[in-house]
Amino acid sequence: MNRKIYINGQYFDRENAKISVFDHGLLYGDGVFEGMRIYSGTVFRLQQHLERLWESARAIALTIPMSIEQLTDDVNATVKENGLTDGYIRLIVTRGAGPLGLDPFRCVEPQVIIIADKITLYPESHYTEGLKLVTASTIRNHPAALSPRIKSLNYLNNIMAKIEGLNAGCIEAVMLNHKGEVAECTGDNIFLVKNGVLTTPPIDAGILEGITRNAVLELAVAAGIETRETPMTRHDIYVADECFLTGSAAEVIPAVQIDNRNIGDGKPGPVTLKLNEAFRKLVHQS
């Protein structure tokens, strides 16, 4: 199917969806984005995604050239325009075109782009058998340099760690922060289970506050599972009973090995499976 790409209120065929090569989003990674899932024709937690988009934009002094209400309507309209009942949305706001040079205030027209399509982040077998992870030597951006809470177009930090993972034969890699603590994976948040307690790194560990992460924490509380947001190290992953990752594109996916060590018995665990089932029910009733 020929997808229709939204750019600044107009729809274009994929081959005609273009922005300027002088856009600072291309030249400097100067912009913000959100990745969102569509389930049964509804964008999952759209308002939470848009609120995070606005926060990211505010943090980099980027003014989104429309109201959150208008963008809500435009995202939903783009889903319908593409006839999608289940899929993925990439919502991008760039700084816009300007002269060569770093000055962002010489860019006068931010670009709002909405891509709605299908996505397969991991093979289906990984959801039933689990992922293998490796610890990357590339650390998460120092929060005093660029806050990981900003979902910016500059993803080179994550890409460098992703390359390490792929070169080690792993489709995902765990990233540590500047203190040597576990932060997150290259594209997902990480959870552990030990003695029935669910743990995940706190926001100040240098992570993106994931929408799916928060949904899983809510589901765990509702299921009576004790949850803790607490600093953790690689040792905690090595000795965990279970591990899983969360993200809008990844959803909930088990991890069964890290650094050639099995996590637990090397199979997806009962808490992981229970929360995955609860998440599936949640997204299809939203």
Side-chain angles (χ1 to χ4, degrees):
M1 180 178 178
N2 185 18
R3 299 295 182 200
K4 298 294 184 179
I5 312 300
Y6 170 108
I7 304 177
N8 298 331
Q10 298 183 60
Y11 292 104
F12 299 87
D13 293 336
R14 180 171 181 159
E15 61 271 18
N16 294 315
K18 299 177 174 67
I19 61 171
S20 171
V21 295
F22 286 92
D23 193 296
H24 277 214
L26 170 65
L27 293 176
Y28 306 109
D30 188 1
V32 295
F33 79 98
E34 284 291 322
M36 302 174 278
R37 278 278 187 172
I38 309 160
Y39 298 104
S40 303
T42 300
V43 182
F44 181 64
R45 299 201 169 181
L46 175 55
Q47 290 309 303
Q48 291 185 24
H49 278 286
L50 292 183
E51 288 167 7
R52 188 172 66 179
L53 181 76
W54 250 260
E55 288 180 357
S56 293
R58 181 184 294 181
I60 67 168
L62 170 60
T63 300
I64 298 176
M66 61 177 65
S67 68
I68 196 168
E69 292 78 16
Q70 181 61 58
L71 191 51
T72 298
D73 291 342
D74 289 354
V75 168
N76 288 324
T78 303
V79 172
K80 292 180 181 179
E81 182 74 20
N82 285 281
L84 287 168
T85 53
D86 292 278
Y88 180 79
I89 294 170
R90 176 59 58 90
L91 171 56
I92 306 159
V93 183
T94 75
R95 186 77 65 177
L100 295 176
L102 291 178
D103 188 348
F105 301 117
R106 298 181 71 185
C107 303
V108 296
E109 189 177 0
Q111 303 290 293
V112 180
I113 303 163
I114 307 172
I115 304 168
D117 206 346
K118 298 287 187 178
I119 190 171
T120 301
L121 194 64
Y122 302 122
E124 186 58 36
S125 61
H126 285 38
Y127 287 87
T128 55
E129 300 171 12
L131 289 170
K132 294 181 180 180
L133 307 174
V134 65
T135 305
S137 62
T138 301
I139 67 168
R140 199 66 178 90
N141 280 329
H142 194 293
L146 176 64
S147 173
R149 297 179 69 180
I150 300 171
K151 199 168 177 68
S152 80
L153 298 183
N154 188 333
Y155 246 54
L156 192 56
N157 180 226
N158 305 66
I159 290 169
M160 296 300 290
K162 182 76 168 183
I163 290 170
E164 287 189 58
L166 293 172
N167 285 343
C170 297
I171 204 166
E172 253 296 8
V174 172
M175 300 182 73
L176 308 180
N177 63 21
H178 62 288
K179 296 186 286 186
E181 299 167 345
V182 173
E184 56 188 3
C185 292
T186 66
D188 308 313
N189 293 115
I190 185 169
F191 285 83
L192 303 178
V193 180
K194 180 70 173 179
N195 298 326
V197 178
L198 183 69
T199 61
T200 193
I203 302 304
D204 61 9
I207 69 168
L208 181 73
E209 187 176 2
I211 305 297
T212 305
R213 169 189 181 273
N214 289 346
V216 167
L217 285 171
E218 294 167 12
L219 290 169
V221 171
I225 299 169
E226 182 180 348
T227 65
R228 299 175 186 169
E229 296 180 57
T230 185
M232 59 178 66
T233 66
R234 281 188 295 172
H235 174 80
D236 295 303
I237 307 179
Y238 293 161
V239 302
D241 299 324
E242 303 177 42
C243 176
F244 64 88
L245 314 181
T246 65
S248 293
E251 302 176 292
V252 179
I253 185 166
V256 297
Q257 189 181 100
I258 182 169
D259 300 336
N260 292 316
R261 298 166 170 84
N262 279 349
I263 300 171
D265 63 2
K267 299 177 181 178
V271 175
T272 300
L273 297 175
K274 181 176 183 177
L275 289 173
N276 188 27
E277 181 181 1
F279 181 75
R280 296 284 180 183
K281 290 180 179 178
L282 172 67
V283 298
H284 287 292
Q285 71 185 22
S286 300

